[in-house]
Amino acid sequence: MAQVPQRFFDALAVRTWCGLSLQALGRAREEIDAINVYPVADGDTGTNLYLTVESAVAAVEAVFAAHAVDAGEPETGGGPSLPEAVGAMAHGALIGARGNSGTILAQLLRGMAQVLTARGEAAHTDGQGLRLALRHAAESARQAVAHPVEGTVLTVASAAADAAEGAEGDCAEVARAAYEGAGRALAETPGRLPVLRRAGVVDAGGRGLVTLLAALVETFTGRAPGPAATGAPLARARHGVQDPAGGHTGEDLADECAAEEDDGDGPAFEVIYLLEARDAAVARLRQRLDALGDSLVVVGGDGLWNVHVHVDDAGAAVEAGVEAGRPYRIRITHFGHGDVHTAGSGRPPRERAQRAVVAVVPGEGLAGLYAEAGATTVLARPGEPPASGELVQAVRRAHAREVVLLPNDVELRHTAAAAAEQARTEGVRVALIPTRSAVQGIAALAVHEPGRRFDEDVVAMTSAAGATRYAEVAVAERQSWTTAGICQAGDVLGLVDGDVAVIGADVTAVAATVLDRMLAAGGELVTLVLGDEAPETVAAHLEARVREAYLAVDTVVYRGGRQGAPLLIGVE
């Protein structure tokens, strides 16, 4: 469908660009994955870029929702400003960045945002502003990479900025010039990077950037531009067409590149985490991580960073983050045991498991508990719910023919349903159990038996989750109306089955009241999940209360870590 062209780069143009970019990467994802041979031939660049942009889209949509601007309606003056929209785009990309390519893309978007937000509360910018933004984006991305390599997305970004600087006119002309310049640079990447030349492909990250610039042109013109250079040789070869350069299939070439990476010289792990730290600490972190491995990219600022590195000692990379600040959303991937996207290196493909459980969990402690029970976990930080693409990626990591999906949050039901539908198109049998809390997920996982029939297992897990009432003790962030009355910021709230039932001033007292209300209807087992902010004595107090007042009721206690709420309660 043709888009309504945007004359200036304003908040609505940011929203349109993000949406078009996500659609375009969705169409090109498999092709970009197929030509991913550098820096590691793990076939996930397209997927990582898609997930990064999906996170940016979610952040931009949240800003528009906060301003109550309906999708598809023209601006009326009540929507977000340009700085708000580009700031949300950059922040969303930063917290959702995946892989080397996604991390660099996050810095490109942040570089653009830094220029556009520095222009004050202007409602829009013109062609000159867009030129400056593209130049700063390219420069800041290059600075974020410890050892820039030519023939990569950095080269393509610089070429786009160079071409934009030579363009006269409005945003449409600048965007078109950047797109064409990037396309020319992309076509030249095999001549700059030997691994690309041997594989007969262009750089996958650069191909992704060209896709985003094509979406930028469409934002301002209303129609997609003509095709630029692509990685078509390998993409075609993967479908059985001989590569005209040398007779090898693209899969053979990817395997050869993977074998080169796998000869013992390349790092074994990819480590990614978000980090809350000061600038001085991050400067020291860069030096330490640079000595530990390669492909180091550290992006962000203003106290929040996204760290990406390839190392042999994953623990040391995480410890370096702990010394610098507070790392979280830690992801460690072993290149030798990648997911279903990973190209082979002479090894037989990993056998699919018959059945697996994929669960969303709110804290590191619960992630460990679920993992010990055999589940593949997706960590959800407060205010940062996982996107559907992240859940699909987790299903792929589980590498099973049958998957039980536990969203563990009522707000994630539609996201999980979309992920399940996508996984089914890839041949995985998926059952979504609508768990609304992590304690319901624990109950479901406790009765999970991979050896019985899939339908029987799903029914048993659904029944166990449904028989578990759930509660949460949280702290109010602001004054608001609730089903139990008006609460003030700082009040302790006791929520039972999602509704506020108790308002108080003390976590232990509110938890005791909530537990009494839940056990009044009966119960056999109480599950307590303690967050880092829970008082040290609350578990002992509640356990004693159950022993004294409720005969034949057992209590189990788990440590949830940084889970957002001080306490989760389940009653089976």
Side-chain angles (χ1 to χ4, degrees), residues 188-333:
E188 295 169 358
T189 55
R192 290 173 173 261
L193 201 56
V195 67
L196 301 180
R197 184 170 61 253
R198 288 194 297 272
V201 298
V202 296
D203 179 66
R207 173 71 175 88
L209 180 58
V210 169
T211 301
L212 265 67
L213 291 172
L216 187 62
V217 174
E218 186 174 358
T219 298
F220 294 119
T221 65
R223 56 172 60 94
T230 69
L234 181 52
R236 285 196 300 268
R238 280 187 174 272
H239 291 88
V241 180
Q242 188 178 24
D243 183 349
H248 291 290
T249 67
E251 196 161 322
D252 290 337
L253 290 165
D255 287 352
E256 289 171 12
C257 294
E260 291 173 10
E261 298 271 350
D262 219 24
D263 62 2
D265 295 333
F269 298 96
E270 177 184 59
V271 178
I272 306 173
Y273 50 80
L274 291 178
L275 177 70
E276 294 177 357
R278 296 182 178 179
D279 291 5
V282 171
R284 293 191 296 270
L285 175 66
R286 288 177 190 269
Q287 294 179 347
R288 182 168 178 187
L289 292 180
D290 193 27
L292 285 175
D294 59 28
S295 295
L296 174 61
V297 186
V298 181
V299 304
D302 302 320
L304 180 63
W305 308 82
N306 192 306
V307 179
H308 171 280
V309 66
H310 294 171
V311 293
D312 281 320
D313 190 343
V318 175
E319 288 173 7
V322 172
E323 291 179 6
R326 185 176 79 88
Y328 61 101
R329 277 200 174 185
I330 300 167
R331 303 183 197 89
I332 300 173
T333 302

